[in-house]
Amino acid sequence: MAPWLQVLTPFLLSLLLGALPDQIRYSIPEELAKNSMVGNLAKDLGLSVQDLLARKLRVSAEKEYFTVNPESGDLLVGDRIDREQVCGKQPLCVLEFDIVAEKPLNIFHVAVVLQDINDNAPQFKQSEVDLNIGESTRPGKAFPLDPALDSDAGSNSLQKYYLGDNDYFEVTEKESPDGRKYPELILKRFLDREENNFHQLVLTAVDGGDPPRSGTAQIRIQVTDVNDNPPVFSQDVYRVTLREDVSPGFSVLQVMATDQDEGINAEITYFFHNVDEQVERFFNLDKRTGEITTKDHLDFETAKSYSLHVEAKDPGDLASHCSIQVEILDENDCAPEVIVTSVFTPLPEDSPLGTVVALIKTRDKDSGRNGDVYCNVLGNAEFVLKSSSKNYYKLVTDRTLDREENSEYNVTIVATDRGKPPLSSNIIITLHISDVNDNAPVFHQASYLVHLAENNPPGASIAQVSASDPDLGSNGHISYSIIASDLEPRALSSYVSVNQDSGVVFAQRAFDHEQLRSFQLTLQARDQGSPPLSANVSMRVLVGDRNDNAPRVLYPTLEPDGSALFDMVPRAAEPGYLVTKVVAVDADSGHNAWLSYHVLQASDPGLFSLGLRTGEVRTARALGDRDAARQRLLVAVRDGGQPPLSATATLHLIFADSLQEVLPDLSDDPLPSDPQSELQFYLVVALALISVLFLLAVVLAIALRLRHSSSSAGWGCFQPGLSSNPVTGVLPNYNEGTLPYSYNVCIASQSAKTEFNFLNVTPEVAPQDLLCDDTSWIPDTIGDTEVPFVSDSVPKTGKETVIERTGSQLPPHQRPDKLLGKATHPNFRSPQL
């Protein structure tokens, strides 16, 4: 460093620090260890230590060389700082940054001066230098050498060169226009090639540090033959002005030197001499023509000028030197920079107008008007910029925010300089809006109608209600509940429940359509905000029918003891004759209760037809001679459900014109037994009942005869006289849906044998007592017992026992006379009494 610069450095430092009265100033040496203390900011700023955490004191800078201890307020070194990397060779190295404090928002400017320490030794670019010097070179000739480089500044920089002891050379120091020292080798006396053609010297560079540091280079000198005219430049100094936006390869200048020698000794070669790395990086020199061109893009912000030194040398190593001073002109080639130092996000949606959202800093590396920057917000009317100190701006709210309308904002900040043409840059700040519970839940439907099939499994989901809340977090977290119902309040929990998180409604039991057709619920959606908001919705549940009830056959039906009825069909019945009707009901409703009737088995499939919907059994054709007198139909009753359910009924049909024809047929040629029906057990029961009734009739007849012994030959029914009082009874298996019949029983008072007479009763003829002295009966012997049959068309006379059945629902021609003692069972076998 030049002596005058060393003198001016303290003056410049005091001048700079005095020019910044608003700054807090510190001075530290470079290379301090990490977390070394620079100063106490809290004390210097007048802040209370108790308020430091709330004020969030922090450093706002591009490169954070320093940090702030949040508890003590000390300014600490963030990491080791190398002055040479930060400021290079500048005599004064100052790091400027800002300290930001919140609540309220304040910005403080801080300047830290980095003091140089002697941490770099001088170094030569080449450790060995070769020179060719002619033996005719006159004493006093100077040979410039490349300088040693020392990154330190001030007194720690390069100070002096020393040359090892010798008889021919000495070293002097020269200073370039930019203040750098370089050595020159001076010839003290004539060289004698024949005496010594090679000399080796040691050049030492020493800095001014304490202790001093040094570096060395070997100088090897070859003594050559005579070349007595060196090249000569047309100018010693050239001055050039360049725009910083010139492209690489741009021609800067062509230097030219002349040599009065002739031939090979006049051939001149040009070299850069005594230049730093920056010159070699940005400029190129043609060795033959001396033209200097740019090698890379120039940047006024990096370097405002360059000093180039060119050496012209002939083959005899005679050389001359010149310097080129290149001044760089600033162009508006740097766009402004926008630096976000603080962002306060997320921002509550109920923030008042004027709330500070972000702190922004601008910078432009250009100078003058090219570096003058102004900012504005692009497109977002909710925010505006307000200028703060220096190049700082505050981004504040200008309108009311609504997170449900816009949950985040991408705020574009545009910075523009005042150059010509102006350059601009922008940065996008993403601001997230935090939620406030200002929206109640809203159901997706105004009401819900749920169709539920009966017999659902308990615990199954039957519906789901859904509500939305545009709020976030707990403000938008919805829970569901049932708050009202038309069911009994105590029984509500046993019918349905709702999942508080998903809104799924569950059935707690299996519903029965036949017991509960529908019910009403009121559900509530409630958020978790403070205070919570809620909404209600109604739900109507309709319990639909399933095919869960099979048809129930009301007619024909079996007696409790398992015996079955039979129906008698006249032999002369025409096609279409109504024989009987299968009656069935189904507890289900709708299509599930729509019954259909089908023939599963038939003794003669073509003899009868069955109404699909009515269940009426009709003759399909007239009875033939070859047709059996006894027919059996197995009828299935099916409902319309899916899958369908069914029940079966067995019809026993006998073709006969009178009941007298039925009994011999039943005793002589019984129907083949049905393997699916009850067999011997029911036969034994039926025979036992017939025997008991027969014995009772005999006893009663004898008793009456003895009582009325005075009467000559009078017959009566329970009392003397020709008229009988009917005893009417009801079938023991009569219940809802069966077809009831009444029976009139008459017992002969004077008969040696018990006699039964079966009559068909028509609706036109009311039931009446019959006389027992009819002589037209025809006895038929079953074993030893005579069972008389009478014709419907022959009047009944004489003394006889009559069993009369009156049908209350079916026509008489569809209902056969029923044998007393269940003699009409299809598996009836007449016993030998």
Side-chain angles (χ1 to χ4, degrees):
M1 178 182 291
W4 62 270
L5 190 56
Q6 297 181 18
V7 175
L8 286 177
T9 299
F11 173 74
L12 292 174
L13 178 60
S14 62
L15 183 64
L16 174 65
L17 298 180
L20 300 172
D22 295 336
Q23 284 186 326
I24 300 172
R25 298 172 292 278
Y26 299 100
S27 179
I28 61 171
E30 64 172 330
E31 299 290 346
L32 283 180
K34 184 178 180 179
N35 293 328
S36 297
M37 180 176 174
V38 178
N40 190 279
L41 272 177
K43 179 180 178 181
D44 296 336
L45 295 176
L47 301 177
S48 174
V49 177
Q50 291 79 7
D51 298 336
L52 291 180
L53 291 177
R55 298 293 305 268
K56 296 182 181 179
L57 201 65
R58 64 185 183 277
V59 175
S60 173
E62 297 176 45
K63 296 183 179 179
E64 294 189 359
Y65 295 108
F66 303 95
T67 60
V68 178
N69 187 316
E71 298 179 355
S72 63
D74 292 335
L75 182 64
L76 306 178
V77 176
D79 204 348
R80 289 184 179 272
I81 305 174
D82 187 354
R83 182 187 184 281
E84 288 72 35
Q85 290 184 356
V86 176
C87 300
K89 298 290 289 183
Q90 297 179 12
L92 184 62
C93 184
V94 181
L95 294 178
E96 296 185 21
F97 55 91
D98 299 311
I99 298 296
V100 178
E102 299 179 8
K103 298 179 182 179
L105 181 66
N106 295 111
I107 302 171
F108 305 98
H109 307 295
V110 179
V112 178
V113 178
L114 284 181
Q115 299 172 354
D116 184 54
I117 64 173
N118 190 25
D119 56 343
N120 295 282
Q123 290 183 346
F124 288 95
K125 293 175 61 176
Q126 296 179 344
S127 60
E128 295 180 352
V129 179
D130 293 323
L131 296 177
N132 293 322
I133 302 177
E135 61 179 341
S136 61
T137 303
R138 293 182 176 276
K141 175 65 177 176
F143 299 92
L145 300 176
D146 288 338
L149 302 178
D150 193 336
S151 300
D152 294 325
S155 61
N156 294 324
S157 64
L158 178 65
Q159 298 295 323
K160 195 170 183 61
Y161 292 95
Y162 298 96
L163 190 64
D165 294 337
N166 68 92
D167 296 332
Y168 294 94
F169 298 94
E170 63 181 0
V171 66
T172 61
E173 298 172 2
K174 296 290 184 180
E175 190 169 324
S176 63
D178 58 358
R180 292 189 303 170
K181 294 179 180 180
Y182 65 91
E184 280 190 348
L185 192 62
I186 306 298
L187 182 61
K188 294 192 294 183
R189 64 192 183 101
F190 284 103
L191 298 174
D192 186 354
R193 183 175 178 276
E194 287 73 25
E195 181 181 346
N196 189 356
N197 65 351
F198 182 79
H199 299 270
Q200 184 164 351
L201 306 175
V202 176
L203 180 63
T204 303
V206 182
D207 63 20
D210 184 17
R213 293 175 176 265
S214 62
T216 61
Q218 299 290 328
I219 302 176
R220 297 181 298 188
I221 301 173
Q222 185 71 41
V223 181
T224 62
D225 204 358
V226 177
N227 179 15
D228 44 355
N229 289 298
V232 178
F233 283 98
S234 59
Q235 292 179 231
D236 290 336
V237 178
Y238 296 85
R239 298 187 183 279
V240 179
T241 301
L242 282 180
R243 293 162 53 100
E244 66 172 329
D245 58 352
V246 296
S247 59
F250 180 79
S251 178
V252 178
L253 176 69
Q254 184 174 9
V255 296
M256 185 173 292
T258 58
D259 195 325
Q260 295 181 359
D261 293 327
E262 294 181 354
I264 192 173
N265 290 330
E267 294 181 0
I268 300 174
T269 306
Y270 299 92
F271 302 95
F272 277 130
H273 179 70
N274 189 23
V275 295
D276 57 21
E277 296 177 353
Q278 294 296 319
V279 172
E280 293 180 347
R281 174 186 170 187
F282 289 102
F283 298 96
N284 186 46
L285 174 62
D286 191 309
K287 295 181 178 182
R288 296 299 177 188
T289 63
E291 182 181 15
I292 300 174
T293 57
T294 57
K295 186 188 293 186
D296 200 351
H297 291 282
L298 302 176
D299 188 2
F300 174 83
E301 290 70 36
T302 301
K304 299 176 177 58
S305 65
Y306 295 93
S307 180
L308 286 65
H309 301 280
V310 178
E311 178 184 64
K313 185 184 292 186
D314 63 17
D317 286 336
L318 297 179
S320 62
H321 302 83
C322 73
S323 65
I324 301 99
Q325 298 298 321
V326 180
E327 297 293 331
I328 308 300
L329 298 178
D330 183 36
E331 296 292 331
N332 191 25
D333 60 340
C334 293
E337 297 178 57
V338 183
I339 304 165
V340 180
T341 61
S342 300
V343 178
F344 305 101
T345 183
L347 190 66
E349 61 178 324
D350 58 351
S351 298
L353 299 183
T355 302
V356 178
V357 177
L359 187 63
I360 298 166
K361 180 181 178 181
T362 62
R363 184 180 64 182
D364 195 324
K365 294 181 180 179
D366 292 325
S367 59
R369 290 184 60 83
N370 295 334
D372 189 9
V373 180
Y374 63 93
C375 284
N376 64 294
V377 178
L378 184 64
N380 291 95
E382 291 81 4
F383 305 94
V384 294
L385 280 174
K386 291 186 177 180
S387 179
S388 183
S389 61
K390 214 172 180 179
N391 290 327
Y392 279 90
Y393 294 86
K394 293 179 182 178
L395 182 65
V396 299
T397 57
D398 195 43
R399 289 188 180 180
T400 302
L401 305 177
D402 186 0
R403 191 207 65 81
E404 288 71 37
E405 181 180 343
N406 198 344
S407 61
E408 71 175 27
Y409 292 88
N410 292 319
V411 183
T412 302
I413 308 297
V414 180
T416 308
D417 61 25
R418 302 185 187 278
K420 292 185 179 180
L423 298 179
S424 63
S425 62
N426 63 74
I427 189 171
I428 298 177
I429 302 175
T430 300
L431 298 176
H432 298 280
I433 309 302
S434 60
D435 186 54
V436 175
N437 191 27
D438 56 349
N439 292 279
V442 177
F443 281 96
H444 296 167
Q445 295 179 214
S447 62
Y448 291 84
L449 181 63
V450 179
H451 293 272
L452 171 65
E454 65 174 333
N455 299 330
N456 56 286
S461 63
I462 62 174
Q464 182 176 15
V465 295
S466 179
S468 59
D469 192 326
D471 293 326
L472 286 181
S474 60
N475 295 332
H477 182 71
I478 300 174
S479 60
Y480 301 91
S481 61
I482 300 175
I483 61 173
S485 173
D486 58 0
L487 299 172
E488 287 293 332
R490 295 182 179 180
L492 175 61
S493 61
S494 65
Y495 278 85
V496 290
S497 65
V498 63
N499 186 292
Q500 65 175 2
D501 297 321
S502 64
V504 177
V505 180
F506 296 95
Q508 298 297 105
R509 61 166 62 181
F511 292 102
D512 189 353
H513 172 79
E514 288 73 32
Q515 295 181 1
L516 181 64
R517 298 296 178 94
S518 66
F519 57 91
Q520 188 90 11
L521 300 175
T522 300
L523 295 101
Q524 183 181 83
R526 182 186 183 97
D527 62 28
Q528 307 300 315
S530 180
L533 302 177
S534 63
N536 299 336
V537 72
S538 64
M539 174 184 289
R540 182 169 181 80
V541 180
L542 302 179
V543 181
D545 184 50
R546 283 183 183 270
N547 191 26
D548 57 342
N549 292 282
R552 185 164 64 93
V553 178
L554 301 180
Y555 180 82
T557 182
L558 297 178
E559 298 293 341
D561 57 2
S563 60
L565 305 176
F566 67 87
D567 292 276
M568 188 172 67
V569 185
R571 293 183 179 276
E574 297 294 331
Y577 176 80
L578 178 61
V579 177
T580 186
K581 181 176 181 178
V582 178
V583 180
V585 294
D586 195 316
D588 293 323
S589 61
H591 198 268
N592 295 328
W594 192 13
L595 302 181
S596 61
Y597 301 84
H598 308 271
V599 177
L600 295 182
Q601 294 180 2
S603 301
D604 189 344
L607 189 56
F608 298 97
S609 64
L610 178 64
L612 180 64
R613 298 300 175 188
T614 63
E616 295 178 348
V617 179
R618 296 178 180 271
T619 56
R621 58 179 176 83
L623 180 68
D625 296 336
R626 297 183 179 182
D627 292 329
R630 292 172 299 147
Q631 298 290 330
R632 176 178 174 273
L633 293 180
L634 180 60
V635 177
V637 183
R638 294 179 187 153
D639 58 26
Q642 288 296 330
L645 301 178
S646 62
T648 59
T650 302
L651 299 176
H652 297 281
L653 307 176
I654 298 178
F655 284 93
D657 291 329
S658 63
L659 195 57
Q660 287 82 351
E661 300 179 23
V662 176
L663 292 178
D665 194 29
L666 290 175
S667 61
D668 296 340
D669 190 13
L671 289 171
S673 62
D674 186 356
Q676 301 298 327
S677 62
E678 300 83 351
L679 298 177
Q680 295 181 359
F681 175 77
Y682 295 106
L683 284 176
V684 171
V685 173
L687 293 175
L689 290 174
I690 292 174
S691 301
V692 170
L693 292 175
F694 177 75
L695 292 175
L696 289 174
V698 172
V699 171
L700 290 174
I702 295 173
L704 291 174
R705 185 175 182 87
L706 292 176
R707 182 178 180 182
H708 301 283
S709 58
S710 60
S711 177
S712 58
W715 288 78
C717 296
F718 294 100
Q719 64 181 4
L722 298 177
S723 62
S724 64
N725 294 327
V727 180
T728 304
V730 181
L731 288 177
N733 65 340
Y734 170 75
N735 53 31
E736 180 183 0
T738 60
L739 302 178
Y741 294 89
S742 60
Y743 298 86
N744 293 335
V745 181
C746 296
I747 303 174
S749 61
Q750 298 177 0
S751 176
K753 297 180 181 180
T754 301
E755 300 159 342
F756 294 84
N757 192 8
F758 300 87
L759 301 178
N760 286 334
V761 181
T762 62
E764 293 80 3
V765 181
Q768 59 182 349
D769 296 338
L770 302 178
L771 297 177
C772 301
D773 53 358
D774 186 3
T775 58
S776 62
W777 62 279
I778 303 173
D780 189 10
T781 302
I782 302 175
D784 295 334
T785 304
E786 294 180 357
V787 181
F789 289 80
V790 294
S791 173
D792 291 342
S793 59
V794 179
K796 280 66 177 182
T797 59
K799 298 175 182 179
E800 53 190 353
T801 301
V802 178
I803 299 177
E804 181 181 82
R805 182 178 66 182
T806 303
S808 63
Q809 295 184 13
L810 295 180
H813 59 269
Q814 298 184 35
R815 297 298 304 159
D817 292 324
K818 184 176 181 183
L819 288 176
L820 188 63
K822 314 305 185 287
T824 59
H825 194 282
N827 296 323
F828 174 80
R829 296 293 185 271
S830 176
Q832 296 294 331
L833 301 178

